[in-house]
């Protein structure tokens, strides 16, 4: 008869070894800044809310090294390692944690809507074309200043991989002037509720035959800063005031043909609020002011238009007015009753407000200013570009940046007629400036 094997004696509970469970890692999350709440609501194929900043190098881009550089840099930037989530009352960010998005060769038109589910849930894309590295960012993440910081660090890391001698000159780490700050400077600087300072009256809108569906025109004009500065000084205006005035002058001449109009030519100008409120945040922190010109008489000359634009902008560029602009938005966000409204209803209201605001401007001109890089990398970087996506009613926009002694004014458009762009650059040459023009050739294809 087979004997059963003896069963082991039960271990007293007091002697049992308890297996410690590792607590699950807390996934980082954060709120959207005040401005960012709008972008997920209105974004889509027609209004992508994506902008591009690119760096042109002196040698062709190696895609494998660029991917490696992105893999190294992304974990250092919490501001880009995010995905967008939909809550009951608001959208919010959550730490992504997936591998960096795949670097791709540029094959499509720029500033297209970014589908997160095709991009490892990330809200930015990196592409390359010959000598150029492109960073495209969904505006919900950051504004131009935050994107410039990320692109520069990506370029530095790429160049260190491409040329190991650079690593000997600088540590393989972020530059000392690169900020990772993620405060909501809108909330920090909010003081009290304010009345709306946004324009809602309809502006003159540029209309005409459109490019084929999906096409996106880009035209760059290059001007020497050393030539532009004395010209602006003679007029008693800043470079930004001058460029906005030339744009308005070009619309006045080419679209209104110097005639009177019932609706003003109004150009929205984003203002970087960081220097005004002592902020270094990488979240959105800007406000919109508007340059306005209403031709009520015949035959204005350019100096008259320039003076009107200058006065229009300067009357708004003060601490009190800028605070009033964003305080109105923040007061709505902080309103107890509005906070309890479900997100679908909030979205309907925000889309309505956005449409009124968009149609209140003829166009938008964004100037991210001078881009500077440290000495070890200057020999490897030739140029920077920035341009922005189109929006409802605005089929021609401008963006400005400068690097070394070159200022680049970039038009983005989906209109077949380029007379305003040609007038703009022709006026600069008539003022004695040397202008070089480059385009993506969409009008000739």
């Amino acid at each position: 008869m087979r004997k059963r094997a003896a069963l082991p004696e039960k271990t007293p509970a007091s002697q049992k070894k308890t297996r410690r469970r590792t607590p699950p890692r807390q996934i980082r999350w954060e709120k959207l800044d005040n401005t960012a709440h709008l972008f997920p609501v209105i974004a889509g194929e027609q209004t992508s809310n994506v902008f591009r900043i690119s760096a042109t190098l002196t040698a062709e881009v190696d895609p494998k090294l660029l991917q490696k550089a992105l893999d190294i840099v992304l974990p250092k930037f919490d501001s880009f390692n995010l995905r967008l989530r939909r809550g009951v009352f608001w959208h919010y960010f959550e730490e992504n944690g997936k591998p960096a998005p795949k670097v791709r060769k540029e094959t499509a038109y720029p500033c297209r809507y970014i589908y997160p589910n095709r991009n490892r849930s990330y809200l930015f894309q990196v592409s390359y074309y010959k000598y150029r590295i492109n960073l495209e960012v969904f505006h919900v993440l950051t504004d131009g200043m935050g994107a410039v910081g990320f692109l520069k660090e990506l370029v530095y890391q790429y160049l260190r991989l491409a040329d190991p001698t650079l690593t000997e000159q600088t540590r393989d780490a972020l530059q000392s002037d690169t900020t990772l700050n993620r405060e909501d400077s809108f909330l920090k600087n909010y003081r009290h509720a304010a009345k709306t300072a946004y324009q809602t009256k309809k502006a003159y809108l540029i209309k005409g035959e459109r490019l084929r569906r999906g096409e996106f025109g880009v035209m760059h004009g290059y001007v020497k800063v050393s030539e532009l500065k004395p010209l602006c000084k003679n007029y008693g205006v800043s470079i930004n005031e001058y460029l906005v005035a030339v744009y308005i002058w070009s619309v006045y001449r080419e679209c209104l043909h110097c005639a009177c109009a019932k609706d003003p030519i109004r150009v929205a100008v984003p203002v970087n609020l960081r220097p005004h409120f002592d902020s270094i945040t990488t979240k959105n922190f800007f406000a919109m002011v508007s340059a306005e010109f209403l031709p009520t008489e015949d035959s204005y000359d350019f100096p008259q238009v320039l003076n009107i634009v200058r006065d229009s902008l300067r009357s708004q560029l003060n601490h009190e007015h800028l605070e009033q602009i964003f305080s109105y938005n923040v007061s709505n966000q902080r309103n107890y009753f509005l906070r309890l409204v479900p997100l679908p209803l909030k979205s309907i209201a925000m889309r309505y407000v956005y449409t009124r605001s968009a149609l209140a401007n003829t166009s938008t001109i964004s100037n991210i200013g001078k881009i500077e890089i440290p000495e070890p990398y200057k020999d490897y970087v030739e140029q920077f570009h920035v341009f922005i996506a189109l929006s409802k009613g605005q089929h021609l926009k401008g963006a400005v940046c400068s690097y070394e002694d070159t200022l680049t004014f970039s038009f983005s458009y989906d209109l077949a007629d380029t007379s305003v762009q040609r007038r703009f650059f022709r006026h600069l040459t008539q003022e004695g400036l040397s202008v070089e023009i480059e385009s993506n050739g969409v009008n000739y294809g």
Side-chain angles (χ1 to χ4, degrees):
M1 193 173 177
R2 295 184 64 183
K3 293 183 179 180
R4 290 185 180 180
L7 296 174
E9 295 182 5
K10 292 185 178 179
T11 305
S14 60
Q15 297 180 19
K16 285 184 178 179
K17 291 183 179 181
T18 56
R19 180 179 294 177
R20 293 183 179 181
R21 291 186 177 182
T22 304
R25 186 177 68 87
Q26 294 294 316
I27 297 177
R28 177 176 57 88
W29 73 279
E30 63 179 62
K31 296 179 180 179
L32 275 62
D33 63 76
N34 180 260
T35 297
H37 284 298
L38 174 66
F39 298 122
V41 172
I42 62 175
E45 283 284 358
Q46 300 303 313
T47 307
S48 70
N49 286 285
V50 170
F51 62 93
R52 171 185 284 196
I53 300 177
S54 62
T56 303
L57 309 183
T58 55
E60 285 204 28
V61 176
D62 182 331
K64 292 183 179 179
L65 291 184
L66 181 57
Q67 182 69 63
K68 187 175 180 181
L70 180 59
D71 293 340
I72 294 171
V73 169
L74 179 58
K76 301 176 183 179
F77 279 82
D78 288 345
S79 54
F80 280 76
N81 190 13
L82 296 169
R83 57 182 171 183
L84 190 65
R85 291 298 199 188
R86 184 184 181 92
V88 177
F89 301 105
W90 297 105
H91 287 93
Y92 65 94
F93 287 131
E94 186 178 85
E95 181 181 355
N96 192 325
K98 294 180 181 178
K102 186 178 179 181
V103 169
R104 293 182 172 88
K105 184 177 181 180
E106 182 181 3
T107 57
Y109 290 106
C111 298
R112 302 289 294 271
Y113 179 70
I114 297 175
Y115 288 94
N117 60 344
R118 304 176 189 172
N119 195 50
R120 296 179 179 169
S121 301
Y122 285 101
L123 304 170
F124 72 94
Q125 292 178 331
V126 175
S127 63
Y128 66 95
Y129 183 75
K130 293 186 177 179
Y131 298 85
R132 193 174 64 239
I133 297 174
N134 307 310
L135 172 66
E136 296 198 341
V137 182
F138 183 24
H139 224 319
V140 71
L141 278 183
T142 186
D143 54 21
M145 301 309 296
V148 166
F150 184 81
L151 175 63
K152 289 199 296 184
E153 289 295 346
L154 178 62
V155 170
Y156 301 155
Q157 184 62 61
Y158 170 81
L159 292 175
R160 288 195 292 266
L161 294 172
D163 185 353
T165 62
L166 285 172
T167 308
E168 299 173 5
Q169 301 180 43
T170 179
R171 291 181 179 179
D172 195 7
L174 300 181
Q175 298 293 307
S176 59
D177 61 344
T178 298
T179 175
L180 301 177
N181 184 287
R182 289 295 286 169
E183 74 173 17
D184 187 338
S185 292
F186 290 114
L187 287 176
K188 180 181 178 181
N189 292 280
Y190 171 76
R191 296 292 177 266
H192 52 77
K195 294 181 179 179
T196 179
Y198 290 109
Q199 291 285 353
T200 56
K201 294 182 179 179
K202 187 179 178 182
Y204 173 79
L205 301 179
I206 303 174
K207 299 178 181 179
E209 182 186 350
R210 306 272 286 278
L211 296 172
R212 287 172 293 191
R213 184 176 178 82
E215 290 185 332
F216 186 95
V218 177
M219 188 179 295
H220 304 298
Y222 305 101
V223 182
K224 293 298 181 185
V225 176
S226 55
E227 295 180 5
L228 185 57
K229 270 187 176 179
L231 175 64
C232 295
K233 186 176 180 180
N234 289 338
Y235 277 121
V237 298
S238 69
I239 289 178
N240 204 47
E241 290 167 345
Y242 177 79
L243 294 173
V244 173
V246 175
Y247 179 93
I248 290 177
W249 170 254
S250 302
V251 175
Y252 172 61
R253 291 292 304 271
E254 294 299 323
C255 300
L256 295 180
H257 306 290
C258 299
C260 300
K262 64 174 183 176
D263 296 322
I265 302 171
R266 188 182 295 122
V267 174
V269 180
V271 177
N272 176 21
L273 296 175
R274 292 170 182 81
H276 296 275
F277 295 90
D278 192 26
S279 170
I280 57 170
T281 184
T282 57
K283 287 193 174 186
N284 288 294
F285 194 41
F286 66 95
M288 288 286 195
V289 299
S290 297
E292 181 174 317
F293 168 60
L294 177 62
T296 56
E297 303 174 2
D298 291 332
S299 300
Y300 288 83
D301 58 23
F302 176 70
Q304 288 176 304
V305 174
L306 179 58
N307 289 337
I308 292 170
V309 169
R310 177 200 61 198
D311 294 343
S312 176
L313 287 174
R314 291 187 183 181
S315 66
Q316 302 168 70
L317 290 176
N318 57 76
H319 187 96
E320 292 74 22
H321 183 75
L322 295 174
E323 186 179 274
Q324 180 186 358
I325 293 173
F326 70 77
S327 292
Y328 170 75
N329 293 336
V330 174
S331 63
N332 287 334
Q333 180 185 344
R334 289 167 59 94
N335 184 290
Y336 178 75
F337 296 103
L338 292 179
R339 285 162 62 185
L340 296 179
V341 175
L343 182 56
L345 296 180
K346 281 193 184 87
S347 299
I348 294 173
M350 285 192 283
R351 280 194 289 266
Y352 172 74
V353 172
Y354 163 76
T355 299
R356 290 190 65 192
S357 177
L359 298 180
N361 290 289
T362 307
S363 183
T364 301
I365 294 180
S366 181
N367 188 343
I368 65 171
K370 186 176 182 179
I371 299 177
E372 297 180 296
I373 61 175
E375 193 61 45
Y377 304 102
K378 284 186 178 180
D379 292 339
Y380 302 82
V381 181
E382 187 176 280
Q383 189 56 269
F384 285 90
H385 297 87
V386 58
F387 44 94
I388 53 182
L390 305 175
S391 55
K392 192 175 183 65
Q394 298 184 31
H395 301 287
L396 174 63
K397 291 188 176 184
V400 188
C401 69
S402 63
Y403 173 68
E404 297 291 275
D405 191 39
T406 301
L407 179 142
T408 305
F409 191 104
S410 301
F411 283 106
S412 49
Y413 57 94
D414 64 358
L415 296 171
D417 183 9
T418 59
S419 59
V420 173
Q421 297 94 302
R422 293 197 305 271
R423 169 68 68 175
F424 181 93
F425 293 125
R426 190 184 310 129
H427 180 85
L428 297 183
T429 58
Q430 290 171 349
E431 294 270 65
L433 301 173
S434 302
V435 182
E436 294 183 13
I437 300 174
E438 179 184 29
S439 81
N440 66 349
V442 70
N443 297 88
Y444 313 110

